Amino acid sequence: MNEAPAIVVRDLTRKFGGFTAVDRITFEVHAGEVFGFLGANGAGKTTAIRMLTALLAPTSGQAMVAGHDVYREAEQIKCDIGYMSQRFSLYEDLTVRENIRLYGGIYDLTDRQIHDRTTRMLAQLGLEHAADQFVRAIPLGWRQKLAFSVALLHEPKIVFLDEPTSGVDPITRRQFWELIYEAAARGTTVLVTTHYLDEAEYCDRISIMVAGRIAAIGTPGELKKKFDASSIDEIFVRLARPAAASEARK
Amino acid sequence: MTTPADDAVAVDRVSKNFGSTVALADVSFSVQRAERFGFIGPDGAGKTTLFRILATLMAPDQGRARVLGRDVVSDLWTLRARIGYMPGRFSLYPDLSVDENLRFFASVFGTTIEREYQQIAPIYSQLEPFRDRRAAALSGGMKQKLALCCALVHRPEILFLDEPTTGVDAVSRREFWDLLDTFKQSGMTILVSTPYMDEANRCDRVALMQGGRILAIDTPQAIADSFDRPLFAIRASDRYRALKALREWPHTHSVYPFGETLHYADKRTDVPADRIATEMLAFLSSHGFDDASVERTAPTVEDSFIARMGAPEGVRAA
């Protein structure tokens, strides 16, 4: 890959008082890659993502996101990235169309752009019939797909997805991943977190955070070879809770 | 055949609507005593509404539900002391410490931690190092354990656990199920819901739920085995392109990503599996997937769930 990496992180650290939430992590995400950012609850994923999305200043270390420095160019980063989480994605008491319009306005798109992209997006998702319905009235699976498309509305270089498929049925989960693949095929870089470890297999590369550090990074195939494991789940358990794993082996 | 009165739970044609939203549509099932019964389904399947009805917190619009032989509407006061309920949303007092929460729930049921120590010991021993910590400051996994402890402290005969492992990492999920195993011998009936298909295998029987309906009830093995076509696992280096190519193959019944493979089922039911595999390999290699491999694989509960969900666009070809 000749293109500049989408994300370059060197010794990135964040402390909260005496607690080191993220401890000198170093990694790169290639442009157009689907990167799975895994870790147990409390391993530091959310803190790391907040630094990469320029919402939280690092304590030390460097990070370049879409070519911008997280310390000095927070606003440029926000223009060049999209973000979607399971917890909050869309305004439930606005219609589908109003949500798209709102995000378009926030990202400073022209009326023409908003109009064209709304039309295109609704057609792609097959949601034309629901354009004027309140978001709370449409099924969760559709809402998640819509939220993803809205996160891509301003055509960001990188999109951060925080547990996008939580609680979603197995078919919608797979449809969601197809949207991810399509976005990646168009050149968008995707960084995604998930608790469904079968989804780790859908990523080009993954990292596993343990206690603030990156304990493993590579393609799913490389990691399985390296850890002599049959699944990512097995590696995850071994790394995330060494004590529990040894307990289980007894 | 046991009589309905012996069942731990007997639900007969229960429906519940919220305005125009159908939460439960004509649901019937029964759970035997000491059984561990799972409800597997996505958000919006009706799991939480069902659990609220069984925990006597909500009345059905239609139909009847009995728990431990008692009607959940007319006998709610006698029932409440006999059931334990862990809601899906964290519902403990965030400003109270671990011990204070537990003491509070014990006192509501007229008992004490000391008196019930035996019952809660397997979980409480894991919480004890944090006994003075505020509940709000616990990790996700520890919060779930505290909530379970609070649901158990009055020695209920039956436990309703609504999505105890949602949002919890894979390791903590496994630990939680291990913890439930420790109650096996005590004969407690446990009803538990989850969106994670792989957790079905930790239950004696499961009900697959979708859109307020039960799609199937059986042992996890029987549900997996009910997948009625030969299933193949396909490996190819460019999986997404292979998926798209297979959708164009006229014989494809269904094909979708499954972990590191694609799961494929063929439309034809009269062609031997090995011939399907050979033809598929030839098809894949003619489309440039020279490294592809095809092998028979055992269907899982998730495959069965997908097959029963009907034919939404996108995943299924044809």
Side-chain angles (χ1 to χ4, degrees), chain A residues 174-175 178 201 224 233, chain B residues 174 239 247 257 260 313:
Chain A
R174 289 173 170 84
Q175 291 172 338
E178 292 204 18
E201 306 275 5
K224 279 185 277 187
D233 189 53
Chain B
R174 193 173 300 215
R239 194 170 24 171
R247 290 229 176 97
E260 60 179 341
E313 72 281 27

Side-chain angles (χ1 to χ4, degrees), chain A residues 32-50:
Chain A
E33 187 172 47
V34 179
F35 190 85
F37 199 61
L38 311 180
N41 300 118
K45 292 188 311 273
T46 304
T47 304
I49 288 176
R50 289 182 63 207

Side-chain angles (χ1 to χ4, degrees), chain B residues 1 21 28 44 79 118 150 167 175 183 187 195 211-212 215 227 242 245 282 289 314:
Chain B
M1 200 61 195
T21 305
S28 300
L79 257 183
Q118 199 95 39
C150 289
E175 287 174 356
F183 297 110
L215 304 176
F227 192 90
F289 300 99

Side-chain angles (χ1 to χ4, degrees), chain A residues 172-187:
Chain A
T172 307
R173 218 145 67 74
R174 289 173 170 84
Q175 291 172 338
F176 195 93
W177 273 91
E178 292 204 18
L179 291 178
I180 292 179
Y181 284 136
E182 278 165 26
R186 288 195 305 268

